[in-house]
Amino acid sequence: MATVSLKGITKSFGKTEVIHGIDVDIRDGEFIVIVGPSGCGKSTLLRMVAGLETVTSGEVQIGGARVNDREPMDRDIAMVFQNYALYPHMSVYDNMAYGLKIAGTPKAEIAERVAEAATLLQLEDYLKRRPRELSGGQRQRVAMGRAIVRKPSVFLFDEPLSNLDAKLRVQMRLEIKQLQRRLGVTSLYVTHDQVEAMTLADRMIVMNAGRADQIGAPLEVYANPQTEFVAGFIGSPPMNFLPADMAHDAPPGAVKLGIRPEHLTLAQTGTAAKVIYTEALGAETLLHVDLANGTRATVRQDAIAPHPKEGETVHLAWDAGNRIFFDSEGQRC
Amino acid sequence: MITREGMVEKRGVGHWFTHLGLIIGLLFIFFPIWLAFVASTVSQPEIVRPPMPLLPGDQFFENYRKALVSGVNAPVAWMMLNSLIMALGITIGKIVISLLSAFAIVYFKFPGRRLFFWLIFLTLMLPVEVRIVPTYEVVANFGMLNSYSGLIFPLIASATATFLFRQFFMTVPDELAEAARVDGARPMRFFWDILLPMSRTNIAALFVILFIYGWNQYLWPLLITTDPSMNTIVMGIKQMFPSGDDIADWPVIMATSILAMIPPVIVVISMQKLFIRGLVDSEK
């Protein structure tokens, strides 16, 4: 178990800088999720912590020690890959034992540790099988088992659930969270899925084009996005962006007014909007409406509330406490 | 209903024709081998007197014993041993060298990596025959005429195999190498523990192809082995043909031909399963 510190990390491929200076201090045992759209540099950042990519400038510290020049094996980390990266010709047992075997761990201890991890992951019955004889979820567990048996001080996850189907993803998400709580190992988890990020993270790093736009606890990021990008990326359906002049008290320089779909309510009077279509999702209903100025907005309603038909005109209202203003740079103002 | 029955019937007939075609083709291909076998079981006068017999005679053991033990110039058993050493030397050598060079080209970044790859690839365009004179000169200067090393080393580099392994290694996901790196495996450990077992079927397929290539070498052994005790069996058959007015001992020559076919057949049959898997799919 250890803290992880990134100090001014940048990364260039040739002359192109893809990561422009990331600073973050991760506490011991914390679960950090790095989230962002594809190409934002989140995987590259994780791979630099792992030691699979060199750091162009800045410093990676694990447990207080600079590890920039250490091989992955000397960093006391374990990594779970997106496609699991299991050794296809080895049994589940050998897959999990391989790292320990290389480290020269005594056979009895290897057997003990693998058995322990297998129990934890409910893999006892599959130890003799080959990876190709397992389902996606089981392979995922083996990949985690391989990380657990080494008892590393940091877990690194690179989009570990993106190859699973939706249902299994929800289940494995829960298992990963429980496992991490139980083991208390500092974890860095990369994903492009903001729901995964919201549910797993103690704190999340929202990345955009090689920068950390915001670092904070999920609900804090949700409630107080610092940039327009974060506001639009976190939350599903995304935040509505209306022209700032729709509010009479907009601060100077404000260009956009952001408001979450659940904070828009239907009222007798207020901004007029035409319902374009409705999506009934069971527990809730989404109304997609067009304002008079052409802006498209989404309203989230309880399913039990009587909702208007498509083509009807409604009036929108919102509470002044729930709105956020952004300037032309996309920064909060 | 009628049309359906008609279709079934037609398909049945088509089935028969297909098989008939295959059987006739098989007979055509097999016939010369059968003739060789028959010729190896009869006596010399029976072969020379037309018509040539089509059923095996009673000289089977006599002819094969004569071939194996005394042969014409050198005992066939001895020539087969030479061939086996040469074929295995070439096969194993080629596989080891090409595995290692493909590993270097795919997994290591070093200056001139592409240059080396293309240099290796370039040698594909030069068959043994083209560079046979300079090669002979080199081998002769090293004093390797009439030796196993002289038979094996000039043929041991293989651009084809290097190329095939390179292509295979490039299909292995990078994450596997990274997982091994995180697990603490040094490059050679990764090669030995992971890449090599994964290449198993490819190695088997290449083994079959290269063994037959090595076993069937003709021109090179003919050039550098003047001592009959170093003759290989494929060139040895040619050496058995008489020069001038001598009478050819056809039953023994035919017995030798049949014997020469056995080891490649054994290799193909014993590795058939792996061989086919290596050609059609790969474990990933």
Side-chain angles (χ1 to χ4, degrees):
Chain A
M1 263 142 271
T3 58
V4 177
S5 293
L6 308 182
K7 296 191 190 303
I9 301 287
T10 70
K11 173 73 186 177
S12 305
F13 290 111
K15 278 182 183 153
T16 329
E17 193 175 81
V18 291
I19 291 186
H20 315 286
I22 302 263
D23 288 277
V24 60
D25 284 307
I26 299 166
R27 289 186 295 273
D28 185 17
E30 202 173 13
F31 200 126
I32 294 283
V33 175
I34 305 169
V35 65
S38 44
C40 70
K42 55 190 190 302
S43 277
T44 308
L45 184 65
L46 188 79
R47 292 163 57 82
M48 285 195 282
V49 178
L52 295 170
E53 298 278 0
T54 55
V55 178
T56 306
S57 72
E59 200 170 291
V60 179
Q61 294 180 350
I62 295 178
R66 180 190 147 98
V67 296
N68 283 33
D69 305 318
R70 287 194 202 162
E71 272 291 301
M73 58 176 290
D74 302 321
R75 294 188 179 201
D76 201 11
I77 50 128
M79 188 155 170
V80 177
F81 294 87
Q82 178 174 354
N83 66 3
Y84 323 132
L86 300 178
Y87 311 124
H89 58 288
M90 291 189 195
S91 66
V92 168
Y93 181 93
D94 289 333
N95 261 289
M96 295 210 262
Y98 188 59
L100 295 176
K101 219 156 94 188
I102 290 176
T105 315
K107 273 211 166 105
E109 196 187 333
I110 295 180
E112 195 180 308
R113 284 215 225 168
V114 172
E116 200 180 311
T119 314
L120 203 62
L121 295 162
Q122 294 146 36
L123 283 170
E124 298 105 318
D125 298 337
Y126 304 102
L127 287 175
K128 288 200 178 100
R129 299 225 191 146
R130 297 281 173 88
R132 69 164 173 275
E133 297 162 335
L134 301 177
S135 68
Q138 288 164 342
R139 286 183 208 184
Q140 182 56 59
R141 288 211 184 89
V142 177
M144 303 221 305
R146 188 165 65 180
I148 291 172
V149 291
R150 302 186 42 211
K151 302 197 170 159
S153 43
V154 182
F155 280 142
L156 304 173
F157 298 90
D158 190 1
E159 308 218 15
L161 302 183
S162 52
N163 283 2
L164 300 178
D165 62 56
K167 201 175 159 195
L168 205 53
R169 208 178 303 163
V170 174
Q171 182 195 334
M172 289 303 293
R173 194 166 78 199
L174 220 68
E175 283 184 28
I176 289 182
K177 182 72 182 172
Q178 284 173 343
L179 202 65
Q180 197 266 345
R181 283 249 175 87
R182 175 146 25 145
L183 301 173
V185 177
T186 314
S187 301
L188 266 83
Y189 185 109
V190 162
T191 182
H192 61 267
D193 181 346
Q194 52 100 11
V195 179
E196 251 172 54
M198 293 291 293
T199 48
L200 285 172
D202 291 330
R203 277 194 301 159
M204 57 200 231
I205 302 173
V206 186
M207 282 190 70
N208 176 25
R211 287 197 173 76
D213 262 22
Q214 191 168 1
I215 301 175
L219 289 179
E220 176 200 323
V221 172
Y222 185 82
N224 276 312
Q226 291 307 302
T227 67
E228 188 185 334
F229 170 80
V230 175
F233 189 77
I234 300 297
S236 172
M239 185 179 265
N240 296 306
F241 294 109
L242 312 176
D245 53 24
M246 288 184 68
H248 309 295
D249 52 349
V255 176
K256 281 183 182 166
L257 156 67
I259 186 151
R260 296 247 176 234
E262 62 268 31
H263 293 142
L264 281 178
T265 50
L266 300 187
Q268 295 304 318
T269 56
T271 314
K274 193 175 170 197
V275 179
I276 301 303
Y277 54 93
T278 62
E279 287 180 300
L281 300 176
E284 62 189 25
T285 300
L286 302 178
L287 306 179
H288 297 271
V289 300
D290 272 356
L291 305 188
N293 57 21
T295 313
R296 174 70 54 93
T298 312
V299 182
R300 177 185 258 154
Q301 276 200 305
D302 277 346
I304 44 166
H307 48 264
K309 304 263 176 304
E310 288 169 9
E312 250 176 73
T313 300
V314 294
H315 296 277
L316 303 179
W318 57 84
D319 195 58
N322 287 329
R323 12 158 251 195
I324 299 167
F325 291 98
F326 297 102
D327 64 17
S328 57
E329 302 284 304
Q331 296 297 313
R332 183 87 176 261
C333 65
Chain B
M1 283 301 114
I2 292 166
T3 51
R4 199 155 131 208
E5 271 172 18
M7 270 178 72
V8 170
E9 204 174 48
K10 207 170 156 190
R11 209 170 67 191
V13 171
H15 224 63
W16 281 105
F17 271 118
T18 314
H19 272 90
L20 198 69
L22 285 174
I23 289 166
I24 291 173
L26 189 74
L27 288 179
F28 261 107
I29 291 165
F30 190 67
F31 188 65
I33 298 170
W34 174 251
L35 269 193
F37 177 71
V38 169
S40 72
T41 60
V42 295
S43 63
Q44 171 78 359
E46 278 175 286
I47 289 186
V48 200
R49 172 166 26 92
M52 174 135 192
L54 288 176
L55 290 174
D58 53 2
Q59 302 290 306
F60 178 86
F61 290 106
E62 172 59 21
N63 288 337
Y64 279 82
R65 191 195 55 75
K66 211 168 134 195
L68 280 173
V69 176
S70 54
V72 175
N73 300 314
V76 172
W78 189 252
M79 292 199 293
M80 283 179 82
L81 182 72
N82 288 341
S83 274
L84 192 71
I85 292 172
M86 178 178 74
L88 283 179
I90 291 174
T91 308
I92 294 169
K94 267 180 190 284
I95 289 176
V96 169
I97 290 174
S98 49
L99 267 170
L100 286 172
S101 36
F103 180 57
I105 286 171
V106 175
Y107 285 95
F108 292 88
K109 290 191 174 68
F110 52 91
R113 179 164 79 139
R114 287 177 71 87
L115 177 77
F116 279 106
F117 172 69
W118 286 110
L119 278 179
I120 293 172
F121 197 66
L122 210 66
T123 63
L124 262 179
M125 298 158 198
L126 295 173
V128 179
E129 288 73 16
V130 174
R131 52 187 162 90
I132 204 154
V133 173
T135 312
Y136 182 88
E137 175 82 19
V138 170
V139 169
N141 286 342
F142 275 121
M144 294 200 295
L145 298 179
N146 285 314
S147 72
Y148 289 127
S149 43
L151 282 172
I152 294 169
F153 286 132
L155 301 174
I156 211 169
S158 171
T160 323
T162 307
F163 188 68
L164 285 177
F165 281 125
R166 170 184 180 264
Q167 296 309 96
F168 171 69
F169 289 168
M170 287 186 357
T171 66
V172 173
D174 286 345
E175 285 177 330
L176 222 50
E178 288 172 353
R181 221 175 127 193
V182 173
D183 267 342
R186 302 269 174 216
M188 284 321 285
R189 184 92 195 239
F190 166 70
F191 176 74
W192 189 255
D193 284 352
I194 290 155
L195 221 44
L196 210 54
M198 282 180 72
S199 318
R200 209 175 64 240
T201 51
N202 293 53
I203 292 173
L206 265 177
F207 188 93
V208 172
I209 294 166
L210 294 178
F211 183 85
I212 293 171
Y213 165 86
W215 184 267
N216 285 342
Q217 279 304 313
Y218 174 70
L219 189 58
W220 182 248
L222 190 66
L223 266 183
I224 72 150
T225 62
T226 44
D227 180 354
S229 73
M230 286 306 294
N231 282 4
T232 64
I233 190 161
V234 174
M235 60 163 290
I237 295 171
K238 173 72 174 70
Q239 302 289 73
M240 287 176 168
F241 288 13
S243 48
D245 292 337
D246 292 348
I247 297 163
D249 193 352
W250 287 111
V252 171
I253 296 176
M254 287 301 140
T256 310
S257 303
I258 296 291
L259 285 171
M261 287 193 316
I262 293 174
V265 169
I266 291 175
V267 166
V268 170
I269 290 175
S270 61
M271 293 200 145
Q272 198 172 26
K273 232 171 108 183
L274 273 176
F275 173 68
I276 289 170
R277 252 171 56 195
L279 287 186
V280 298
D281 69 8
S282 50
E283 282 183 58
K284 274 188 288 289

